[in-house]
Amino acid sequence: MSENATPVLRLKEATIKFGGLIAVNCVSFDLMKGDLFGLIGPNGAGKTTCFNLVTGLYPPTSGSIEFMGRDISGMASAKIAKLGICRTFQNIRLFKALSAVENVMVAAYLRHRTGLGSGLGLLPSAIRETKELRRQALELLDVVGLSDVAEERSGDLAYGRQRRLEIARAMATQPELLLLDEPAAGMNPNEKVDLQQTVRRIRDDFDKTVLLIEHDMRFVMGLCERIVVLDHGEEIAQGPPDAIRNDPKVIEAYLGAAV
Ligand SMILES: Nc1ncnc2c1ncn2[C@@H]1O[C@H](COP(=O)(O)OP(=O)(O)OP(=O)(O)O)[C@@H](O)[C@H]1O
Ligand SMILES: [Mg+2]
């Protein structure tokens, strides 16, 4: 990567205050194309709030956020999504009454809706497009290992599978940057190993840039190439897993828990 390449995502002293609380305080980091980046820190450190800033849920109080060289600070969420940033949520948000494949199709549809916007769903072109959306959705379900439950009601899927479905749904919007908020939460150790492979594959085969929040240290350290650590809204360390694991500030933040 050349030194002057434009980062996919750049936080420059990003700060947000909620009343007297500084939830994110002067946080700066760059994600380059193809990075698989981890964002960690104890509960309440400001990780999800960082995602909320990047996706435009809140404007930063000060500092800035750039996506592909463009300042997106304070831009509306829908516009940011359209530019190519998609996230999953710490609390799963699926259309529980729809099947797995329908959930992915809805996300893809929202991206492609220009072609289907007439509302005349029986036009031959609309039927063709719906078939194409379905084909693409099934492909994405295959990527996340959910082919066998494509037609099942998403609300009936086991928790770990719902989390995978959220990833497929985010992928359906064809983002450049994928933000995953605790994707391995509630998964058993085998599911976590599978998920590591899936995320790696998404980066490698689909050419995505990935930023993920996760509490499971083994998961993060085994997957991410660089890690940013937040504590009480402040960035206390940044670097490759080995440096982070041995950083006294990080160890202290986790009160001596194994990292
Ligand atoms: N909309 C809001 N209004 C007021 N305070 C908020 C708001 N959003 C977040 N906070 C506060 O900001 C701090 C950071 O919260 P955040 O959800 O970003 O933490 P987190 O690192 O994601 O934690 P966890 O690991 O528990 O998910 C917390 O003290 C939280 O209560
Ligand atoms: Mg959180």
Side-chain angles (χ1 to χ4, degrees), residues 50-66:
C50 274
F51 276 19
N52 291 340
L53 285 173
V54 171
T55 55
L57 207 62
Y58 311 120
T61 310
S62 62
S64 67
I65 298 155
E66 291 171 17

Side-chain angles (χ1 to χ4, degrees), residues 116-188:
L116 297 173
S118 67
L120 299 173
L122 292 177
L123 284 175
S125 62
I127 292 170
R128 259 200 314 277
E129 283 192 55
T130 305
K131 277 189 180 160
E132 178 56 19
L133 285 182
R134 190 179 161 78
R135 191 191 61 74
Q136 288 172 7
L138 288 170
E139 259 178 35
L140 286 173
L141 287 180
D142 185 45
V143 171
V144 300
L146 294 179
S147 294
D148 56 328
V149 292
E151 307 302 338
E152 281 185 29
R153 190 177 167 278
S154 68
D156 294 339
L157 297 178
Y159 190 74
R161 295 191 144 202
Q162 293 193 19
R163 288 219 164 272
R164 290 174 159 271
L165 181 53
E166 280 234 306
I167 297 174
R169 216 169 51 145
M171 287 284 287
T173 68
Q174 300 182 358
E176 170 64 39
L177 172 63
L178 191 59
L179 307 177
L180 306 175
D181 197 345
E182 301 196 24
M187 289 189 175
N188 67 39

Side-chain angles (χ1 to χ4, degrees), residues 33-51:
K33 170 92 186 152
D35 273 350
L36 215 172
F37 217 89
L39 181 57
I40 67 170
N43 290 119
K47 305 177 299 292
T48 297
T49 305
C50 274
F51 276 19

